[in-house]
Amino acid sequence: MSERIFVGVAWPYANGPLHLGHIAGAYLPADIFARYHRLKGNEVLMVSGSDQHGAPITIRAEQESTTPQEVAAKYHQQFIDCWKKLGISFDLFTTTGTTNHTQVTHDIFLNLLNNGHIYKEKMLQAYCPKCRRFLPDRYLVGTCPYCGFTKARGDECDECGKPLNPWELKDLRCYLCSTPPRFESSEHFFLRLSAFQERLTGWIKEQTHWRHNVLSATWKFLGEGLKDRAITRDLNWGVSVPQPGFERKRIYVWIEAVIGYLSASKEWAKLQGDDNAWQAFWENDAKSFYFIGKDNIFFHTLVWPAMLMGSGGLNLPYDVPANEFLTIEGKKLSTSRGWAIWLHDYLERYDPDPLRYSLAVNMPENGDSDFSWHEFLRRNNNELVATYGNLAHRVLTFAYRNFDGAVPTVGELDERSKSLLHTAKVALDRVDELLCHRQFKESVKEAMSVAQEANRYLDEQAPWKTIKIEPETSAKSVYTVLSVLAALKTIFYPFLPFSSERLHSFLGFDGSVKDEGWKIQFLPPGQRLQQPQPLFVKLDEDIVAKESSRLDSLNENRKIES
Ligand SMILES: [Zn+2]
Ligand SMILES: [Zn+2]
C-alpha cells in the first residue's frame, strides 16, 4: 500500500548564495529520500522556500545599499537555478514573502493565542542610541555565557549552538556601530514553551528511531528546562502581528519559518487545483520528515512540535534526521571568512552527479565530515569513472558493436552469472532498507560495491575473448552485466539521477527511471541499445591545485557576513 511522505527541508535565508555545507546538511539527503520514496510508489510532498525575513537579509540590504526585497528576490532566483542544475526535486520551492504564508502564519498565531499558549508581556529590548533604532537579536554581538565565544549573536552562539537571549551575553554591543546598547521596555508576545515541557518529554521518549545526535541534543535542551520565548520583535521587515497595537512589530523569523512547511503545503495544494490536497500529508497516518542541519534541531524537535500540539490537529514530525556539519579542506566552513565552496560556482564548472556522489558517500550523518578537492577528484576518477562508468561503458560498447546494437538473446544462465544477478537483487533490498531508515552513506557504498563486483565478473568472464570461440558464453556474460546495469540505474537513481536517466536510455528503455519503480527492470533480449557515451568525465589531477588557490583567493577577498 502506498504511503504518504511529507519531506520538509530547512528554509535557506535569501541573504547569500548556497554552499556545500547547506547541500550536505539538508538538501541532498532530502532529495535522495524523496526520490527513493517516489520510486517506491509512495506519494511524496517535498517543500521548502526562501526565508525572506530576518536580520541576515536586512543586514545584507544595508551593506549593499538596497532593499530587503531586492536581496531576497536575487537569491531566491539563484536558489531555483541551483535546484534545477543539481536535481533537487522540490514539489514546491516558495518564499516566506507570499500572502498565503502571512495568512497561514496568522492562523497558527491566532490558534495558539485562543488556546492560551501565547501571552503578552513587557520585555527589555536592546536599543542603539547611536543608530537610534531597536536592535533585533542578530544585530547584537557579545560573549557567549556558555562557551566564551566573543562573537556570539543575540539569538544564538555560532560556536556552541546554544539559543541565547541578548541580555545573557557579556560585553554586548551593536553589530553596526559597536556601541553598547541600552535596554528599553517593549511589549511582546511569548510562546508558553515551558508549559509543554512534560508533553514534549513524553513524546520525545517515544522517538527511539531518531538519530542519536538529534535525540541527545533534544534531551539536553529538555534537561535544561524549556523557557518561554518571545515570538515577536521590534522590526518593520517580516510577517505582521495580527493584533492591534503591534503594527510596528513583526513575528520572529524562526517562528514563521517553521510555519512555512505548512503554508508551502497549502500553496502546493492550491496550485494542484485542490485546496485540501495538503491535508493528506499532514493528517492521519502520513509521515513527516524534516531535513535540517544540526543548528536547527531546537526549533524542529521542540518549538515546532509544541506549536503543532498547541494549535491542534496536525501530525508531529515522524523524524528529524539532522546532519552534522561539513568542513572544507579540514577547516570549519565560514561564510564570513569566505571559507566555503559556493554551489552556483561549482555548478558552472562541473557536473551535478559527481558532487551528489561525493557528498552522499561522505555525508555528515553521525558526525562532522570533510570535503576536499583531492577526495572529490579521487571519488570521481576512481569510483564513478573507473568503477561504475567504466563497467557501463565497456559492456555497452562491446554489446553495441558485437551484438548488432541489441541486448543479446541467451539461454539459461550459468551459476556464476545467476549469483551476480542475485548480488544485485540483494543490494536493491539492502539499499531499500537503508534508505527507508535514512542511512544514506551506507546505501551509496552498497550500490558501488555491486559495480565493483560486476567489474570483477566481467574481467573473469572476458567476453571479448570468448566471443570468437564461444559466442554463446560471451552473450551470457554480456547479458548478465547489462542486467546488473539495469539494476544499478535504479539503485543509484536517488543519488545520481542524471547518470541513471542516461544509462536507462543507453540500455534502450523508454521514458524515465522514475516511472519504473523500485525494482530490477527486466531487460528484454533483442531490445535495441542506444549508442553509448561515457557516463562520467575523468577530471584532471590539476583541479586540486586550481581549486585550492581559488578557495584561498575567495577566502581573502570575500567578507560577507552570514
Ligand atoms: Zn549602533
Ligand atoms: Zn557559545
Side-chain angles (χ1 to χ4, degrees):
M1 211 185 73
S2 96
E3 286 184 80
R4 289 203 172 89
I5 305 288
F6 173 75
V7 179
V9 202
W11 291 58
Y13 271 131
N15 73 320
L18 297 157
H19 53 65
L20 299 199
H22 294 122
I23 305 310
Y27 302 97
L28 180 62
D31 184 66
I32 293 169
F33 191 66
R35 286 177 184 271
Y36 155 73
H37 273 293
R38 291 187 197 115
L39 267 191
K40 289 284 289 176
N42 293 325
E43 284 180 58
V44 176
L45 175 60
M46 171 162 129
V47 301
S48 181
S50 303
D51 189 338
Q52 304 214 341
H53 300 137
I57 314 273
T58 50
I59 290 178
R60 172 58 72 94
E62 275 165 41
Q63 284 169 340
E64 293 184 359
S65 311
T66 175
T67 62
Q69 285 91 335
E70 275 177 39
V71 171
K74 171 178 154 192
Y75 290 108
H76 180 65
Q77 192 50 52
Q78 195 186 73
F79 294 166
I80 288 185
D81 292 344
C82 283
W83 303 145
K84 191 164 177 240
K85 285 189 192 157
L86 189 62
I88 304 296
S89 56
F90 283 111
D91 294 291
L92 180 69
F93 186 81
T94 178
T95 82
T96 55
T98 64
T99 45
N100 168 70
H101 177 66
T102 299
Q103 184 62 53
V104 176
T105 303
H106 286 176
D107 290 348
I108 296 272
F109 183 95
L110 294 171
N111 274 349
L112 291 169
L113 186 66
N114 295 336
N115 295 342
H117 303 304
I118 287 180
Y119 62 93
K120 237 189 293 191
E121 198 169 271
K122 285 216 156 69
M123 69 182 271
L124 292 174
Q125 178 87 3
Y127 182 87
C128 178
K130 194 170 171 201
C131 299
R132 292 185 186 195
R133 60 192 280 179
F134 276 109
L135 298 172
D137 299 347
R138 268 194 103 74
Y139 278 74
L140 291 161
V141 276
T143 303
C144 171
Y146 298 99
C147 74
F149 181 55
T150 55
K151 284 177 182 161
R153 298 299 188 93
D155 56 349
E156 68 170 346
C157 173
D158 288 339
E159 190 67 27
C160 70
K162 280 264 169 49
L164 296 169
N165 286 306
W167 55 85
E168 297 176 87
L169 297 171
K170 282 176 253 169
D171 186 27
L172 191 65
R173 55 208 187 272
C174 169
Y175 172 79
L176 300 170
C177 73
S178 294
T179 305
R182 61 171 188 248
F183 283 91
E184 292 197 356
S185 178
S186 175
E187 190 164 54
H188 283 283
F189 281 100
F190 282 72
L191 176 66
R192 215 184 287 279
L193 196 56
S194 59
F196 288 91
Q197 174 90 24
E198 208 172 311
R199 229 178 128 185
L200 285 168
T201 301
W203 175 67
I204 295 292
K205 270 189 191 150
E206 294 165 17
Q207 310 310 317
T208 49
H209 56 286
W210 285 13
R211 283 185 188 167
H212 173 75
N213 60 337
V214 178
L215 277 176
S216 66
T218 305
W219 279 120
K220 207 158 166 246
F221 292 126
L222 281 169
E224 286 157 6
L226 298 176
K227 295 180 197 81
D228 295 356
R229 293 181 73 93
I231 58 163
T232 53
R233 292 289 188 274
D234 289 284
L235 278 177
N236 55 16
W237 174 244
V239 172
S240 59
V241 185
Q243 286 293 291
F246 278 75
E247 291 76 9
R248 298 180 60 170
K249 302 183 185 193
R250 295 292 180 268
I251 293 179
Y252 180 43
V253 65
W254 267 107
I255 295 297
E256 47 110 349
V258 288
I259 297 174
Y261 297 117
L262 181 61
S263 65
S265 302
K266 292 188 173 184
E267 184 183 343
W268 167 84
K270 280 180 202 149
L271 293 169
Q272 305 305 299
D274 175 2
D275 287 8
N276 299 321
W278 64 274
Q279 287 169 335
F281 292 95
W282 283 83
E283 292 171 3
N284 302 317
D285 54 0
K287 283 183 182 163
S288 48
F289 297 85
Y290 293 86
F291 286 85
I292 58 166
K294 72 171 165 190
D295 48 340
N296 290 347
I297 289 176
F298 179 71
F299 281 94
H300 287 80
T301 64
L302 295 167
V303 178
W304 179 228
M307 289 164 68
L308 287 165
M309 286 171 179
S311 183
L314 301 176
N315 289 346
L316 300 179
Y318 176 78
D319 194 8
V320 184
N323 273 352
E324 301 281 303
F325 291 148
L326 186 75
T327 55
I328 302 289
E329 304 283 359
K331 282 197 262 178
K332 192 177 167 185
L333 193 154
S334 165
T335 53
S336 53
R337 284 182 292 108
W339 193 254
I341 297 170
W342 306 102
L343 180 62
H344 66 284
D345 189 42
Y346 169 93
L347 290 168
E348 276 166 22
R349 287 169 297 128
Y350 302 101
D351 289 334
D353 277 355
L355 181 65
R356 293 179 63 112
Y357 179 75
S358 58
L359 292 179
V361 78
N362 193 25
M363 196 173 270
E365 272 171 24
N366 303 307
D368 293 352
S369 68
D370 187 55
F371 178 92
S372 75
W373 285 104
H374 181 265
E375 187 64 4
F376 171 77
L377 178 80
R378 193 185 71 76
R379 297 275 185 198
N380 182 77
N381 287 2
N382 298 1
E383 294 173 16
L384 291 181
V385 175
T387 303
Y388 182 30
N390 188 37
L391 174 75
H393 197 60
R394 58 185 181 147
V395 79
L396 281 163
T397 313
F398 184 77
Y400 198 80
R401 286 193 195 134
N402 294 282
F403 294 94
D404 205 16
V407 176
T409 303
V410 290
E412 162 124 17
L413 296 179
D414 55 285
E415 288 310 311
R416 178 69 181 100
S417 304
K418 281 186 192 163
S419 143
L420 180 66
L421 290 181
H422 181 69
T423 303
K425 175 72 177 83
V426 169
L428 183 87
D429 294 343
R430 172 98 180 112
V431 173
D432 187 355
E433 177 77 15
L434 288 166
L435 283 181
C436 184
H437 292 95
R438 280 84 60 207
Q439 288 172 286
F440 303 104
K441 226 161 127 163
E442 280 309 305
S443 309
V444 72
K445 285 181 185 162
E446 183 77 30
M448 193 51 85
S449 74
V450 176
Q452 277 157 355
E453 183 62 30
N455 269 318
R456 275 195 290 273
Y457 167 92
L458 195 61
D459 289 341
E460 157 199 315
Q461 300 286 312
W464 46 89
K465 285 186 189 153
T466 51
I467 186 92
K468 298 195 184 88
I469 37 174
E470 291 177 69
E472 274 171 35
T473 309
S474 177
K476 275 182 196 173
S477 39
V478 167
Y479 181 80
T480 303
V481 177
L482 289 173
S483 297
V484 170
L485 290 175
L488 284 176
K489 60 133 172 130
T490 302
I491 304 175
F492 269 123
Y493 171 78
F495 306 94
L496 307 172
F498 298 97
S499 324
S500 279
E501 293 293 5
R502 293 176 68 219
L503 183 54
H504 180 81
S505 60
F506 295 157
L507 287 167
F509 292 117
D510 293 332
S512 161
V513 180
K514 69 173 188 288
D515 304 325
E516 298 302 331
W518 187 260
K519 62 167 198 292
I520 300 182
Q521 201 179 354
F522 175 69
L523 192 65
Q527 173 159 289
R528 305 296 310 169
L529 298 168
Q530 255 190 33
Q531 174 97 52
Q533 301 292 324
L535 275 188
F536 304 100
V537 183
K538 189 167 183 221
L539 295 168
D540 270 352
E541 299 282 333
D542 70 357
I543 72 151
V544 176
K546 270 201 294 208
E547 292 296 343
S548 297
S549 71
R550 190 181 176 94
L551 192 55
D552 285 339
S553 75
L554 288 175
N555 190 24
E556 284 160 11
N557 299 336
R558 281 192 96 119
K559 297 280 177 252
I560 296 168
E561 277 303 324
S562 62

